[in-house]
């Protein structure tokens, strides 16, 4: 009996593995997650564009059931199989992926995944959106969270000021960790270590004296709340003339192989012209001989 | 080529016989009209394909984001490669004093003229906006190998045409009174192309000087044309192309394709024009040995080109070589290497295989294989970029040439065959004056047919 039961169980397991129908378990905290904002037409439009570039090749056109042949088959967005997922579950599955479904967390950012979900939900007439409660902090909820950047010249410090707006009242938010970055060509460079806001909601960063800026010393600074869970993505960006002015000649200034035709390296120009003029000069000389041969024959 | 011509041959009776033999097939006959009409019909079909491509753009081809150089650029490399044989035979062997190449020198020149002229055209077939071709000259960067390539292809074509023209001037003078059986316009063309040549010693002196300049110039130009073509690939860091021996590798491969093309035309001339007295068994034997020589050089470069990266097996090179040796391209790769290189080399070691008929079979296989060899150089590398292929339709990831693309390629080959046909049928295919001079100087030597 036990052997039979074991056999039966393994058979079911194998069958479910083959068909790929093992349930996709979403962690409960993710399952309950909701978007902080109500889906708007703009969200649905952006989501639709993202769907076109990232999802359509497998999931097909919503409602047309023209999905790609994979095992397990990717569900059509309008199908019950897709729509029975909670918003959070959809977010989790798009972010993480499984088997043939790729993980999109490094390709599409969190806000855009919500946009895709907004688009997916537009194919479900019964869907009524629930949004997450407004950001709360220490018992207080804010309508809006602001982050501003200042330059504290005497102390050579960059100050980031975090405040929350509650109706018409603006309050500082203390004890939140902030990071400061300087924008570089390829990505952001972190300045110093993360700093917590004080009672005034301010975090001050010692700014290095030798950081190169552009030709006028401008550096674009970016401050960001480390924890995105409480208030979502809170970010401030501001250019400040606090870097060292660097007047490096641009890469397209000198004569170089990578430059435009007028800035050909001299050695190449010389070689090319010498060879071409030499060879074509000889060719014209040879052509002239035809005339001489013709004249002698007259 | 001698620095002086002994004009005694002009009064020698052998000249009449040679001229009669060589000029007998010249002219417009029924077979030629049928042949050219069929080629023209085929060309029109292919031109319709090109019309579709002009109208709709390159989307009608199999070329997409990853493989943007497919059959067209492979075809271009094939044309450039095959045209190089003009330099090898007329210039290198001719100047070294090998007299046996005299009867086949013009055949090699015809191939050089036709193939280098079409090579330029093939490049245009790969352009989505061909009307922008003048931009290459208007806005071209001297730093770009593409501009160098345009320069050397034009130069090589000009040199080949001039060499063909100059060595034919005395023949035009000899022939103009002997082609009464041909249309008047052809007789007038002969008259025009003879440039008043009256076999005066001063005229020969100038002619030989001009030819000598051309022969010397054509050697570095031919080296440049194919080395620069190889640089179009080798100056990138992509697997399969990132190689320092690409120049000589292309050159040696070019001689293999070119020799094969010459052997095919030699066979045709010998049999259809009944010129076996001039293109003898010995010529096939010698061409067989030459083909063996260039093949073994090419084999040596292939060994280097594949064995060294395969031994190191750097990530991307390893993937590329795996695709060639055992992957998607394995069948084509091994067919090309075995049928186009290794088996012909073994066969050519036997004297019986260097007879005209076996040789032409070998040459046809070698020439076809050398076309596919170019495809193997271009496509597998383009299909394997360094960055992952993503966010494009599946059909874009692999290259599948379309019917239209194939038709356009067939069209370029047809055009080359048409040029060769016209030059071979309407003008003496063997240099009459050079053979007559040779036979007059050595009357005791009789060729073995």
């Amino acid at each position: 009996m036990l052997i039979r039961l074991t056999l039966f169980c393994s058979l079911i397991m194998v069958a479910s593995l083959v068909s790929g129908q093992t349930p996709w378990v979403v962690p409960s905290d993710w399952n309950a997650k909701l978007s902080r904002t109500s889906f708007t037409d703009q969200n649905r439009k952006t989501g639709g564009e993202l769907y076109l570039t990232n999802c359509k090749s497998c999931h097909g056109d919503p409602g047309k059931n023209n999905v790609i042949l994979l095992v397990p088959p990717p569900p059509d967005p309008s199908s019950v199989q897709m729509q029975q997922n909670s918003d959070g579950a959809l977010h989790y599955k798009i972010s993480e992926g499984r088997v043939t479904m790729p993980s999109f967390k490094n390709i599409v950012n969190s806000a855009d995944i919500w946009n895709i979900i907004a688009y997916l939900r537009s194919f479900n007439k019964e869907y009524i959106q629930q949004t997450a409660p407004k950001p709360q902090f220490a018992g207080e909820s804010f309508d809006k969270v602001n982050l501003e950047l200042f330059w504290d010249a005497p102390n050579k410090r960059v100050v980031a000021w975090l405040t929350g707006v509650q109706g018409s009242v603006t309050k500082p938010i203390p004890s939140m960790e902030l990071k400061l970055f300087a924008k570089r060509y390829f990505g952001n460079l972190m300045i110093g270590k993360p700093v917590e806001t004080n009672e005034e909601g301010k975090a001050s960063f010692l700014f290095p004296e030798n950081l190169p800026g552009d030709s006028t010393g401008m550096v674009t600074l970016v401050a960001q709340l480390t924890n995105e869970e409480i208030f979502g993505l809170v970010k401030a960006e501001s250019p400040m003339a606090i870097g060292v002015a660097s007047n490096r000649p641009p890469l397209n200034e000198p004569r170089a192989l990578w430059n435009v035709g007028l800035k050909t390296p001299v050695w190449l120009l010389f070689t090319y012209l010498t060879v071409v003029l030499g060879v074509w000069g000889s060719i014209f000389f040879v052509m002239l001989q035809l005339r001489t041969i013709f004249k002698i024959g007259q | 080529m001698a620095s002086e011509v002994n004009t005694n041959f002009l009064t020698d009776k052998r000249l009449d016989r040679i001229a009669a033999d060589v000029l007998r097939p010249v002219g417009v006959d029924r077979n030629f009209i049928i042949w050219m009409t069929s080629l023209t019909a085929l060309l029109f079909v292919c031109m319709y394909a090109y019309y579709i491509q002009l109208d709709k753009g390159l989307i009608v081809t199999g070329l997409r984001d990853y493989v943007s150089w497919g059959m067209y650029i492979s075809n271009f490399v094939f044309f450039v490669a095959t045209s190089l044989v003009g330099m090898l035979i007329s210039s290198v062997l001719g100047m070294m004093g090998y007299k046996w190449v005299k009867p086949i020198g013009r055949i090699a020149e015809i191939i050089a003229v036709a193939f280098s002229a079409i090579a330029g055209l093939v490049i245009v077939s790969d352009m989505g906006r061909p009307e922008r071709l003048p931009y290459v000259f208007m806005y071209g960067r001297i730093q770009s190998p593409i501009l160098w390539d345009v320069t050397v292809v034009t130069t090589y074509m000009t040199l080949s045409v001039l060499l063909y023209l100059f060595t034919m001037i005395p023949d035009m003078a000899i022939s103009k009174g002997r082609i009464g059986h041909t249309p008047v316009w052809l007789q007038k063309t002969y008259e025009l192309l003879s440039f008043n040549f009256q076999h005066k010693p001063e005229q020969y002196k100038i002619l030989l000087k001009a030819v000598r300049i051309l022969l010397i110039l054509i050697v570095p130009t031919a080296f440049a044309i194919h080395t620069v073509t190889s640089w179009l690939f080798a100056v990138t860091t992509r697997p399969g192309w990132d190689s320092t021996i690409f120049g000589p590798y292309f050159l040696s491969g070019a001689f293999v394709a070119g020799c094969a093309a010459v052997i095919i035309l030699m066979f045709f001339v010998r049999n259809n024009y009944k010129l076996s007295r001039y293109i003898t068994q010995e010529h096939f034997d010698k061409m067989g040995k030459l083909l063996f020589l260039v093949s073994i050089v090419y084999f040596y470069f292939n060994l280097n080109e594949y064995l060294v990266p395969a031994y190191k097996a750097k990530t991307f090179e390893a993937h590329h070589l795996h695709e060639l040796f055992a992957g998607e391209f394995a069948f084509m790769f091994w067919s090309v290497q075995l049928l186009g290189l290794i088996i012909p080399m073994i066969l050519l070691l036997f004297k019986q295989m260097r007879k005209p008929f076996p040789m032409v079979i070998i040459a046809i296989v070698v020439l076809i294989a050398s076309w596919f060899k170019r495809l193997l150089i271009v496509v597998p590398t383009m299909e394997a970029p360094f960055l992952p292929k993503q966010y494009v339709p599946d059909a874009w990831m692999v290259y599948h040439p379309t019917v239209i693309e194939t038709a356009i390629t067939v069209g370029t080959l047809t055009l080359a065959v048409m040029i060769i046909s016209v030059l071979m049928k309407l003008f003496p295919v063997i240099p009459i004056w050079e053979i007559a001079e040779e036979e007059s100087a050595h009357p005791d030597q009789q060729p073995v047919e």
Side-chain angles (χ1 to χ4, degrees), chain A residues 107 256-260 264 268-269 272 279-280 282 286 289-290 292-294 296-298, chain B residues 141-143 147 151 155 158-159 162 166 169 195-198 200 202-203 206 213-214 217 391:
Chain A
I107 298 163
L257 281 176
W258 60 79
N259 217 327
V260 292
T264 307
L268 182 64
L269 195 66
Y272 179 84
V279 172
W280 278 89
S282 312
V286 167
Q289 302 311 304
L290 282 175
T292 320
I293 290 174
F294 185 81
I296 294 173
Q298 272 178 332
Chain B
R141 295 167 63 251
I142 295 179
Q143 297 98 313
L147 191 83
T151 313
T155 310
T158 313
L159 285 171
L162 284 177
F166 266 86
I169 290 174
F195 289 95
N196 264 343
F197 198 82
Q198 279 149 7
K200 289 184 183 169
E202 309 98 283
Q203 285 182 316
I206 295 168
I213 293 173
L214 290 173
L217 277 182
Y391 312 128

Short mmCIF file of all heavy atoms in Angstrom, two decimals, chain A residues 107 256-260 264 268-269 272 279-280 282 286 289-290 292-294 296-298, chain B residues 141-143 147 151 155 158-159 162 166 169 195-198 200 202-203 206 213-214 217 391:
data_model
loop_
_atom_site.label_atom_id
_atom_site.label_comp_id
_atom_site.label_asym_id
_atom_site.label_seq_id
_atom_site.Cartn_x
_atom_site.Cartn_y
_atom_site.Cartn_z
N ILE A 107 15.65 45.15 -15.26
CA ILE A 107 15.37 45.72 -16.59
C ILE A 107 14.31 46.81 -16.48
O ILE A 107 14.42 47.85 -17.11
CB ILE A 107 14.92 44.59 -17.54
CG1 ILE A 107 16.06 43.56 -17.70
CG2 ILE A 107 14.54 45.13 -18.90
CD1 ILE A 107 15.64 42.24 -18.26
N ALA A 256 42.87 62.41 -34.75
CA ALA A 256 42.87 61.04 -34.24
C ALA A 256 42.11 60.13 -35.19
O ALA A 256 41.32 60.60 -36.01
CB ALA A 256 42.22 60.99 -32.85
N LEU A 257 42.36 58.85 -35.05
CA LEU A 257 41.69 57.86 -35.91
C LEU A 257 40.18 57.90 -35.73
O LEU A 257 39.44 57.61 -36.64
CB LEU A 257 42.20 56.46 -35.60
CG LEU A 257 43.55 56.09 -36.20
CD1 LEU A 257 43.97 54.71 -35.74
CD2 LEU A 257 43.50 56.12 -37.72
N TRP A 258 39.74 58.25 -34.49
CA TRP A 258 38.31 58.21 -34.23
C TRP A 258 37.62 59.51 -34.58
O TRP A 258 36.42 59.64 -34.42
CB TRP A 258 38.05 57.87 -32.76
CG TRP A 258 38.63 58.86 -31.81
CD1 TRP A 258 38.12 60.08 -31.46
CD2 TRP A 258 39.87 58.75 -31.11
NE1 TRP A 258 38.95 60.72 -30.60
CE2 TRP A 258 40.02 59.93 -30.35
CE3 TRP A 258 40.85 57.76 -31.03
CZ2 TRP A 258 41.14 60.14 -29.53
CZ3 TRP A 258 41.94 57.97 -30.22
CH2 TRP A 258 42.08 59.14 -29.48
N ASN A 259 38.39 60.51 -35.02
CA ASN A 259 37.81 61.82 -35.25
C ASN A 259 37.21 61.95 -36.65
O ASN A 259 37.29 61.03 -37.45
CB ASN A 259 38.87 62.89 -35.01
CG ASN A 259 38.26 64.11 -34.36
OD1 ASN A 259 37.11 64.44 -34.62
ND2 ASN A 259 39.02 64.78 -33.53
N VAL A 260 36.62 63.12 -36.92
CA VAL A 260 36.00 63.33 -38.23
C VAL A 260 37.07 63.42 -39.32
O VAL A 260 38.25 63.55 -39.02
CB VAL A 260 35.15 64.63 -38.24
CG1 VAL A 260 33.95 64.49 -37.35
CG2 VAL A 260 36.00 65.82 -37.83
N THR A 264 41.91 64.02 -39.61
CA THR A 264 42.70 62.81 -39.86
C THR A 264 44.11 63.01 -39.32
O THR A 264 44.67 64.10 -39.47
CB THR A 264 42.79 62.57 -41.37
OG1 THR A 264 41.48 62.58 -41.91
CG2 THR A 264 43.46 61.27 -41.70
N LEU A 268 48.58 59.62 -41.49
CA LEU A 268 47.66 58.86 -42.33
C LEU A 268 47.31 59.65 -43.59
O LEU A 268 47.31 59.10 -44.70
CB LEU A 268 46.39 58.54 -41.54
CG LEU A 268 45.36 57.70 -42.27
CD1 LEU A 268 45.89 56.33 -42.60
CD2 LEU A 268 44.10 57.56 -41.43
N LEU A 269 47.06 60.94 -43.39
CA LEU A 269 46.75 61.81 -44.52
C LEU A 269 47.90 61.80 -45.52
O LEU A 269 47.70 61.64 -46.73
CB LEU A 269 46.52 63.23 -44.00
CG LEU A 269 45.85 64.22 -44.94
CD1 LEU A 269 44.43 63.79 -45.19
CD2 LEU A 269 45.88 65.61 -44.34
N TYR A 272 48.21 58.25 -47.23
CA TYR A 272 47.10 58.01 -48.16
C TYR A 272 47.27 58.86 -49.42
O TYR A 272 47.22 58.35 -50.54
CB TYR A 272 45.77 58.33 -47.47
CG TYR A 272 44.56 58.14 -48.35
CD1 TYR A 272 43.97 56.88 -48.50
CD2 TYR A 272 44.00 59.21 -49.04
CE1 TYR A 272 42.87 56.71 -49.33
CE2 TYR A 272 42.90 59.04 -49.86
CZ TYR A 272 42.33 57.79 -49.99
OH TYR A 272 41.25 57.61 -50.80
N VAL A 279 50.09 56.55 -57.39
CA VAL A 279 49.54 55.51 -58.26
C VAL A 279 48.72 56.13 -59.38
O VAL A 279 48.88 55.78 -60.55
CB VAL A 279 48.70 54.52 -57.43
CG1 VAL A 279 47.96 53.55 -58.34
CG2 VAL A 279 49.58 53.75 -56.47
N TRP A 280 47.85 57.08 -59.02
CA TRP A 280 47.00 57.66 -60.06
C TRP A 280 47.78 58.55 -61.01
O TRP A 280 47.45 58.64 -62.19
CB TRP A 280 45.80 58.38 -59.44
CG TRP A 280 44.74 57.38 -59.12
CD1 TRP A 280 44.61 56.69 -57.95
CD2 TRP A 280 43.73 56.89 -60.00
NE1 TRP A 280 43.57 55.80 -58.05
CE2 TRP A 280 43.00 55.90 -59.30
CE3 TRP A 280 43.36 57.17 -61.31
CZ2 TRP A 280 41.94 55.21 -59.86
CZ3 TRP A 280 42.29 56.48 -61.87
CH2 TRP A 280 41.59 55.50 -61.14
N SER A 282 50.79 57.79 -62.01
CA SER A 282 51.33 56.80 -62.94
C SER A 282 50.26 56.34 -63.92
O SER A 282 50.54 56.15 -65.11
CB SER A 282 51.88 55.60 -62.18
OG SER A 282 52.70 56.03 -61.14
N VAL A 286 50.43 56.56 -67.93
CA VAL A 286 50.24 55.42 -68.82
C VAL A 286 49.16 55.74 -69.86
O VAL A 286 49.30 55.44 -71.04
CB VAL A 286 49.88 54.16 -68.00
CG1 VAL A 286 49.37 53.05 -68.91
CG2 VAL A 286 51.09 53.67 -67.23
N GLN A 289 50.30 57.67 -72.74
CA GLN A 289 51.10 56.92 -73.71
C GLN A 289 50.25 56.47 -74.89
O GLN A 289 50.75 56.29 -76.00
CB GLN A 289 51.78 55.71 -73.05
CG GLN A 289 52.69 56.05 -71.88
CD GLN A 289 53.66 57.15 -72.22
OE1 GLN A 289 54.43 57.06 -73.18
NE2 GLN A 289 53.63 58.23 -71.45
N LEU A 290 48.94 56.27 -74.62
CA LEU A 290 48.03 55.89 -75.70
C LEU A 290 48.06 56.96 -76.79
O LEU A 290 48.05 56.64 -77.98
CB LEU A 290 46.61 55.73 -75.17
CG LEU A 290 46.28 54.45 -74.41
CD1 LEU A 290 44.88 54.51 -73.86
CD2 LEU A 290 46.41 53.24 -75.33
N THR A 292 50.50 59.03 -77.42
CA THR A 292 51.80 59.00 -78.12
C THR A 292 51.81 57.88 -79.15
O THR A 292 52.23 58.08 -80.30
CB THR A 292 52.93 58.78 -77.09
OG1 THR A 292 52.64 59.55 -75.93
CG2 THR A 292 54.26 59.19 -77.66
N ILE A 293 51.32 56.70 -78.75
CA ILE A 293 51.27 55.56 -79.68
C ILE A 293 50.43 55.95 -80.90
O ILE A 293 50.81 55.70 -82.05
CB ILE A 293 50.69 54.32 -78.99
CG1 ILE A 293 51.67 53.77 -77.95
CG2 ILE A 293 50.34 53.24 -80.01
CD1 ILE A 293 51.15 52.64 -77.12
N PHE A 294 49.32 56.61 -80.65
CA PHE A 294 48.41 57.02 -81.72
C PHE A 294 49.11 58.00 -82.67
O PHE A 294 49.04 57.86 -83.89
CB PHE A 294 47.17 57.67 -81.09
CG PHE A 294 46.11 58.03 -82.08
CD1 PHE A 294 45.22 57.07 -82.54
CD2 PHE A 294 45.99 59.33 -82.55
CE1 PHE A 294 44.25 57.40 -83.45
CE2 PHE A 294 45.01 59.67 -83.46
CZ PHE A 294 44.13 58.70 -83.92
N ILE A 296 52.37 58.48 -83.21
CA ILE A 296 53.46 57.88 -83.99
C ILE A 296 52.90 57.15 -85.21
O ILE A 296 53.47 57.18 -86.29
CB ILE A 296 54.28 56.90 -83.11
CG1 ILE A 296 54.99 57.69 -82.00
CG2 ILE A 296 55.29 56.13 -83.94
CD1 ILE A 296 55.68 56.82 -80.99
N GLY A 297 51.73 56.57 -85.03
CA GLY A 297 51.12 55.80 -86.12
C GLY A 297 50.59 56.66 -87.26
O GLY A 297 50.32 56.14 -88.34
N GLN A 298 50.43 57.94 -87.04
CA GLN A 298 49.84 58.79 -88.09
C GLN A 298 50.80 59.09 -89.24
O GLN A 298 51.99 59.22 -89.03
CB GLN A 298 49.35 60.11 -87.47
CG GLN A 298 47.93 59.96 -86.97
CD GLN A 298 47.42 61.22 -86.31
OE1 GLN A 298 48.19 62.01 -85.76
NE2 GLN A 298 46.11 61.41 -86.34
N ARG B 141 35.71 59.41 -44.43
CA ARG B 141 36.81 59.67 -43.51
C ARG B 141 38.01 58.86 -43.96
O ARG B 141 37.90 57.65 -44.16
CB ARG B 141 36.43 59.27 -42.08
CG ARG B 141 35.31 60.10 -41.50
CD ARG B 141 34.76 59.47 -40.23
NE ARG B 141 35.75 59.40 -39.17
CZ ARG B 141 36.31 58.28 -38.77
NH1 ARG B 141 36.00 57.14 -39.32
NH2 ARG B 141 37.19 58.31 -37.79
N ILE B 142 39.15 59.53 -44.11
CA ILE B 142 40.34 58.82 -44.55
C ILE B 142 40.74 57.76 -43.51
O ILE B 142 41.39 56.79 -43.82
CB ILE B 142 41.49 59.82 -44.81
CG1 ILE B 142 41.08 60.71 -45.99
CG2 ILE B 142 42.80 59.13 -45.14
CD1 ILE B 142 42.09 61.77 -46.34
N GLN B 143 40.28 57.94 -42.28
CA GLN B 143 40.61 56.98 -41.23
C GLN B 143 39.90 55.64 -41.43
O GLN B 143 40.25 54.65 -40.82
CB GLN B 143 40.21 57.51 -39.85
CG GLN B 143 40.93 58.76 -39.42
CD GLN B 143 40.10 60.00 -39.68
OE1 GLN B 143 39.54 60.17 -40.76
NE2 GLN B 143 40.02 60.88 -38.71
N LEU B 147 36.84 53.61 -46.83
CA LEU B 147 37.30 54.54 -47.86
C LEU B 147 38.53 53.98 -48.59
O LEU B 147 38.66 54.10 -49.80
CB LEU B 147 37.61 55.91 -47.24
CG LEU B 147 37.85 56.97 -48.30
CD1 LEU B 147 36.54 57.55 -48.79
CD2 LEU B 147 38.74 58.07 -47.78
N THR B 151 38.88 53.13 -52.55
CA THR B 151 40.02 53.62 -53.33
C THR B 151 40.72 52.49 -54.07
O THR B 151 40.96 52.57 -55.28
CB THR B 151 41.04 54.31 -52.39
OG1 THR B 151 40.33 55.20 -51.53
CG2 THR B 151 42.07 55.08 -53.17
N THR B 155 41.07 51.63 -58.08
CA THR B 155 42.41 51.64 -58.67
C THR B 155 42.70 50.30 -59.36
O THR B 155 43.19 50.26 -60.49
CB THR B 155 43.46 51.91 -57.58
OG1 THR B 155 43.07 53.06 -56.85
CG2 THR B 155 44.83 52.15 -58.19
N THR B 158 40.80 49.96 -62.60
CA THR B 158 41.38 50.80 -63.65
C THR B 158 42.65 50.15 -64.20
O THR B 158 42.85 50.05 -65.41
CB THR B 158 41.71 52.19 -63.09
OG1 THR B 158 40.58 52.65 -62.37
CG2 THR B 158 42.04 53.17 -64.18
N LEU B 159 43.52 49.69 -63.28
CA LEU B 159 44.77 49.07 -63.71
C LEU B 159 44.50 47.82 -64.55
O LEU B 159 45.15 47.59 -65.56
CB LEU B 159 45.63 48.72 -62.49
CG LEU B 159 46.33 49.88 -61.79
CD1 LEU B 159 46.95 49.42 -60.49
CD2 LEU B 159 47.40 50.48 -62.70
N LEU B 162 43.29 48.81 -67.99
CA LEU B 162 44.39 49.34 -68.79
C LEU B 162 45.33 48.23 -69.26
O LEU B 162 45.78 48.21 -70.40
CB LEU B 162 45.18 50.39 -67.99
CG LEU B 162 44.50 51.75 -67.87
CD1 LEU B 162 45.33 52.66 -67.00
CD2 LEU B 162 44.30 52.38 -69.24
N PHE B 166 46.06 47.60 -73.07
CA PHE B 166 47.38 47.82 -73.66
C PHE B 166 47.92 46.57 -74.32
O PHE B 166 48.45 46.64 -75.43
CB PHE B 166 48.37 48.31 -72.58
CG PHE B 166 48.46 49.79 -72.51
CD1 PHE B 166 47.57 50.51 -71.75
CD2 PHE B 166 49.43 50.49 -73.23
CE1 PHE B 166 47.63 51.89 -71.70
CE2 PHE B 166 49.51 51.86 -73.17
CZ PHE B 166 48.60 52.57 -72.41
N ILE B 169 46.47 46.02 -77.84
CA ILE B 169 46.63 46.98 -78.95
C ILE B 169 47.29 46.32 -80.19
O ILE B 169 46.74 46.41 -81.30
CB ILE B 169 47.40 48.23 -78.49
CG1 ILE B 169 46.50 49.04 -77.54
CG2 ILE B 169 47.80 49.10 -79.68
CD1 ILE B 169 47.20 50.22 -76.89
N PHE B 195 44.52 52.09 -81.96
CA PHE B 195 45.25 53.34 -81.69
C PHE B 195 46.33 53.61 -82.75
O PHE B 195 47.45 53.96 -82.39
CB PHE B 195 45.86 53.33 -80.28
CG PHE B 195 44.85 53.44 -79.20
CD1 PHE B 195 44.36 52.29 -78.58
CD2 PHE B 195 44.36 54.67 -78.79
CE1 PHE B 195 43.41 52.39 -77.58
CE2 PHE B 195 43.41 54.76 -77.79
CZ PHE B 195 42.93 53.61 -77.20
N ASN B 196 45.99 53.38 -84.01
CA ASN B 196 46.97 53.62 -85.09
C ASN B 196 48.23 52.80 -84.92
O ASN B 196 49.30 53.22 -85.35
CB ASN B 196 47.36 55.10 -85.13
CG ASN B 196 46.53 55.84 -86.15
OD1 ASN B 196 45.92 55.22 -87.02
ND2 ASN B 196 46.50 57.15 -86.04
N PHE B 197 48.14 51.66 -84.32
CA PHE B 197 49.35 50.86 -84.06
C PHE B 197 49.81 50.23 -85.37
O PHE B 197 49.06 49.54 -86.03
CB PHE B 197 49.04 49.79 -83.01
CG PHE B 197 50.26 49.22 -82.38
CD1 PHE B 197 50.90 49.88 -81.34
CD2 PHE B 197 50.79 48.02 -82.84
CE1 PHE B 197 52.02 49.35 -80.76
CE2 PHE B 197 51.93 47.50 -82.25
CZ PHE B 197 52.54 48.16 -81.21
N GLN B 198 51.08 50.51 -85.70
CA GLN B 198 51.60 49.96 -86.96
C GLN B 198 52.85 49.12 -86.73
O GLN B 198 53.68 48.97 -87.64
CB GLN B 198 51.86 51.10 -87.95
CG GLN B 198 50.61 51.54 -88.65
CD GLN B 198 50.62 53.01 -89.00
OE1 GLN B 198 51.64 53.68 -88.83
NE2 GLN B 198 49.50 53.51 -89.47
N LYS B 200 55.46 49.76 -85.22
CA LYS B 200 56.74 50.47 -85.31
C LYS B 200 57.52 50.22 -84.03
O LYS B 200 56.92 50.14 -82.94
CB LYS B 200 56.49 51.97 -85.47
CG LYS B 200 55.93 52.34 -86.83
CD LYS B 200 55.80 53.84 -86.95
CE LYS B 200 55.17 54.20 -88.27
NZ LYS B 200 54.79 55.62 -88.33
N GLU B 202 59.21 52.19 -82.21
CA GLU B 202 58.96 53.22 -81.18
C GLU B 202 57.65 52.93 -80.45
O GLU B 202 57.54 53.10 -79.24
CB GLU B 202 58.86 54.62 -81.79
CG GLU B 202 59.99 55.02 -82.71
CD GLU B 202 59.62 54.83 -84.16
OE1 GLU B 202 59.64 53.64 -84.59
OE2 GLU B 202 59.28 55.80 -84.86
N GLN B 203 56.66 52.50 -81.25
CA GLN B 203 55.36 52.19 -80.63
C GLN B 203 55.49 51.02 -79.66
O GLN B 203 54.96 51.06 -78.56
CB GLN B 203 54.33 51.87 -81.73
CG GLN B 203 53.87 53.11 -82.47
CD GLN B 203 52.82 52.78 -83.51
OE1 GLN B 203 52.95 51.81 -84.24
NE2 GLN B 203 51.78 53.59 -83.57
N ILE B 206 57.17 52.20 -76.40
CA ILE B 206 56.27 52.91 -75.50
C ILE B 206 55.27 51.93 -74.88
O ILE B 206 55.00 51.95 -73.67
CB ILE B 206 55.52 54.03 -76.25
CG1 ILE B 206 56.53 55.07 -76.71
CG2 ILE B 206 54.46 54.66 -75.37
CD1 ILE B 206 55.94 56.05 -77.70
N ILE B 213 55.00 49.43 -66.42
CA ILE B 213 54.54 50.26 -65.28
C ILE B 213 53.27 49.65 -64.68
O ILE B 213 53.15 49.50 -63.46
CB ILE B 213 54.26 51.72 -65.75
CG1 ILE B 213 55.56 52.39 -66.16
CG2 ILE B 213 53.58 52.53 -64.64
CD1 ILE B 213 55.38 53.77 -66.79
N LEU B 214 52.36 49.25 -65.56
CA LEU B 214 51.10 48.68 -65.07
C LEU B 214 51.35 47.39 -64.30
O LEU B 214 50.78 47.16 -63.23
CB LEU B 214 50.16 48.40 -66.24
CG LEU B 214 49.59 49.62 -66.95
CD1 LEU B 214 48.81 49.20 -68.19
CD2 LEU B 214 48.68 50.40 -66.01
N LEU B 217 52.75 48.28 -60.93
CA LEU B 217 51.77 48.92 -60.05
C LEU B 217 50.72 47.93 -59.54
O LEU B 217 50.20 48.05 -58.43
CB LEU B 217 51.05 50.04 -60.81
CG LEU B 217 51.72 51.39 -60.89
CD1 LEU B 217 50.83 52.35 -61.63
CD2 LEU B 217 52.00 51.92 -59.49
N TYR B 391 15.48 41.37 -26.75
CA TYR B 391 14.45 42.35 -27.12
C TYR B 391 14.31 42.52 -28.63
O TYR B 391 14.08 43.62 -29.12
CB TYR B 391 14.70 43.72 -26.47
CG TYR B 391 14.99 43.61 -25.01
CD1 TYR B 391 16.10 44.22 -24.45
CD2 TYR B 391 14.15 42.86 -24.19
CE1 TYR B 391 16.38 44.09 -23.11
CE2 TYR B 391 14.42 42.73 -22.85
CZ TYR B 391 15.54 43.34 -22.31
OH TYR B 391 15.82 43.20 -20.99
#
